[in-house]
Amino acid sequence: MAGSGPALLEWWYREEVVPVALDEDRVMEFLEQVVTDGGAAMAGLCTALGDRLGLYTAMAGAGPMTTAQLAERTGLRERYLREWLAAQVAGGYVTHDAAADSYTLPDEHAAVLADPDAPTYAAGMFTMLQALYATEDALMDGFRTGRGVGWEEHSDALFAGTAKFFRPGYAGSLVPEWIPAMNGTEGKLEAGAQVADIGCGYGWSTMLMAEAYPASRFHGFDFHQPSIERARGLAAERGLADRVDFRVAGAQDFPGDGYDLITFFDCLHDMGDPGGALHHARQALAEGGSCMIVEPNASADVEANANPIGRVVVSASVAVCLPSALAQHGPEAMGNHAGEDAMRDLADRAGLHHWRLAAESPVNRVYAASR
Ligand SMILES: C[S@@+](CC[C@H](N)C(=O)[O-])C[C@H]1O[C@@H](n2cnc3c(N)ncnc32)[C@H](O)[C@@H]1O
């Protein structure tokens, strides 16, 4: 923005928009920050396209490519690809060799953009944008009236994007770190246990556990029928139908009891009655069983969320988590950064009196709660 600063500020003062003296450097610094954010918001669509059209995957490990080569490899239109590549270079995602007019996705960038199985994969979250931005009018209405926007009112992009966003973190940590951190649970799962995964969405958490503990039985529940159908399809594709079942059920009335482990992955705060859900879970636990409550790693202290992950989480709370809870007309609408004290209090009131922070990752905090 260099060079435009003084002229802009002159205009600002002439219009007498701001009656007090401003720190001009701070204005220009903040203007630059907001323009950078605007660029990221615009570029997010290009990242979503690159992810969904398989462009990053096609470029990964391929070395320098011309637009024609990328078009041939992907079957996509070269004219569009040239524009997309220019945007990727502008954002520093892809490098350009002017002499050869070729483009390269560096291997380190491919680790973040190209492989959904990599623990560092982060492109999946951009799939959600289509759904989030489409909610703007409903949110305007919500801000004015207090009405919620139900999870099921969104498009498939939210459901698919959520699954893609959380899956790498679960794949990297759930079995190697989080389950071992739940005292005694790992042994039960190895020997053969009953597990309920509440608000399971596409069921990646359920399936990761089922793959690791073949002697146990896993029951995924979610009140959203299309997600349950998708979860069933994925489980069948992965040959897990013998030990996993997915059913449509709400968190306050899911069937069964005697569960050794009941899990809530990034969903408790989306519910209108999270206390009721925990109360039902308490009654459905086997003697000595535990709840694993996985929540976003964000804080009730709003200033503590001023970091990249905190910003993603808290912004998602405005767009999805809070409106989803409000739409359920329950006693609570916590938002996704209510913090550990609020969660512990909720569990205690539901009869889960033993509470512990069991594990933590950059994205999640994992709590163990039991009677
Ligand atoms: C942010 S998504 C998380 C999905 C999945 N656990 C994951 O980690 O990818 C929240 C999920 O909670 C489900 N959900 C919200 N309220 C619910 C309720 N009252 N009963 C059952 N499921 C609910 C939604 O349908 C959605 O699938």
Side-chain angles (χ1 to χ4, degrees), residues 46 55-56 59 65-71 77-96 101-105:
C46 294
L55 291 166
Y56 296 124
M59 294 183 79
M65 298 175 98
T66 62
T67 51
Q69 286 167 332
L70 184 59
R77 299 301 177 123
E78 192 200 350
R79 181 66 193 89
Y80 268 102
L81 291 177
R82 207 182 321 144
E83 222 67 3
W84 181 81
L85 283 163
Q88 295 300 295
V89 172
Y93 282 22
V94 164
T95 59
H96 181 229
D101 199 16
S102 64
Y103 298 85
T104 303
L105 180 67

Side-chain angles (χ1 to χ4, degrees), residues 82-291:
R82 207 182 321 144
E83 222 67 3
W84 181 81
L85 283 163
Q88 295 300 295
V89 172
Y93 282 22
V94 164
T95 59
H96 181 229
D97 177 339
D101 199 16
S102 64
Y103 298 85
T104 303
L105 180 67
D107 291 343
E108 294 76 13
H109 295 196
V112 177
L113 296 168
D115 177 7
D117 289 326
T120 45
Y121 172 71
M125 74 170 102
F126 291 85
T127 299
M128 281 188 257
L129 296 179
Q130 186 191 124
L132 299 191
Y133 276 73
T135 321
E136 189 173 327
D137 289 349
L139 288 175
M140 298 268 289
D141 180 57
F143 271 74
R144 292 182 177 126
T145 64
R147 263 196 291 273
V149 182
W151 182 261
E152 67 291 345
E153 290 179 53
H154 294 276
S155 67
D156 283 352
L158 180 66
F159 320 134
T162 300
K164 284 165 89 175
F165 175 58
F166 285 122
R167 184 181 161 209
Y170 300 163
S173 305
L174 173 55
V175 170
E177 290 169 30
W178 297 352
I179 292 205
M182 300 281 298
N183 293 343
T185 300
E186 190 178 27
K188 289 181 191 173
L189 291 175
E190 280 163 355
Q194 291 289 332
V195 179
D197 188 9
I198 314 303
C200 64
Y202 280 14
W204 285 114
S205 50
T206 333
M207 291 184 281
L208 285 164
M209 292 189 284
E211 276 164 353
Y213 305 106
S216 291
R217 292 293 169 266
F218 297 86
H219 311 275
F221 300 112
D222 198 293
F223 74 170
H224 185 240
Q225 173 134 12
S227 291
I228 286 295
E229 281 165 12
R230 180 77 182 120
R232 283 181 185 144
L234 289 167
E237 277 169 28
R238 299 170 85 85
L240 293 170
D242 61 328
R243 65 192 96 135
V244 177
D245 63 82
F246 288 107
R247 287 162 73 175
V248 176
Q252 286 162 258
D253 54 11
F254 62 87
D257 54 18
Y259 293 112
D260 302 290
L261 176 66
I262 300 180
T263 55
F264 294 86
F265 287 89
D266 283 294
C267 62
L268 193 59
H269 61 263
D270 292 318
M271 298 175 186
D273 188 5
L278 290 181
H279 188 263
H280 184 64
R282 177 198 174 278
Q283 291 177 322
L285 278 177
E287 196 56 43
S290 312
C291 289

